[in-house]
Amino acid sequence: QVQLVESGGGLVQTGGSLRLSCAVSGRIFRTYGMGWFRQAPGKEREFVATIRWSLGSTNYADSVKGRFTISRDRAKNTVYLQMNSLKPEDTAVYYCAADPVGRGSALSRDYDYWGQGTQVTVSS
C-alpha cells in the first residue's frame, strides 16, 4: 500500500511561483511512475505532469510546458512540482498520484494511488 500526502499549495498572484510536495510512504518500486493532476471547480481532472521514479524521465501537459517542472528525490521519497509564471487558469486542487507500472501516462485511470489534494489559487 502506498500513501501520498501533498503540501505547498496556497494563494499567489499572477506571475508568482509555488512548489508543491508529495510525500510518499509505503513501498515504492523502481517501476513506479508519479504524476500530478489538477481539478478546477466544475471541470474534469486533468493531467499536469508525470515522472518515472527510477529513470526520472518526464512528460508534461502542453498547458504547463516551460512553466512547471516535476522532479523527485528518491532519498526523501518525495515528488515535487515547481510552478512558475502562474496564471489564474492554473487555479485548481492539485493531486499527486502513483502508477505502479510507470507508464508515464496522462490518463488518471492508470494511477492506482492518490493523495487528498492541495489547493492552489492564483489571483489576477
Side-chain angles (χ1 to χ4, degrees):
Q1 190 73 7
V2 173
Q3 293 82 40
L4 308 173
V5 179
E6 303 96 335
S7 61
L11 173 64
V12 64
Q13 291 186 332
T14 296
S17 298
L18 281 175
R19 188 176 80 157
L20 305 184
S21 298
C22 174
V24 184
S25 59
R27 196 169 183 184
I28 292 289
F29 295 98
R30 59 196 301 269
T31 58
Y32 268 61
M34 303 299 298
W36 285 97
F37 289 77
R38 66 187 182 186
Q39 188 167 18
K43 295 187 177 181
E44 292 188 354
R45 190 169 297 187
E46 66 172 357
F47 168 74
V48 176
T50 187
I51 186 168
R52 285 187 168 88
W53 189 258
S54 179
L55 297 175
S57 54
T58 59
N59 187 29
Y60 295 91
D62 288 343
S63 59
V64 306
K65 276 181 183 176
R67 300 189 298 123
F68 291 11
T69 302
I70 188 171
S71 62
R72 88 277 187 253
D73 185 329
R74 288 187 288 178
K76 294 183 178 179
N77 265 17
T78 301
V79 181
Y80 302 99
L81 185 68
Q82 177 67 44
M83 306 186 296
N84 300 327
S85 302
L86 282 161
K87 306 174 181 179
E89 51 264 43
D90 294 318
T91 295
V93 177
Y94 283 71
Y95 297 91
C96 179
D99 168 18
V101 182
R103 284 162 278 203
S105 174
L107 301 175
S108 59
R109 65 171 182 258
D110 289 335
Y111 293 79
D112 292 349
Y113 304 101
W114 293 83
Q116 82 290 348
T118 185
Q119 176 70 48
V120 171
T121 303
V122 184
S123 63
S124 57

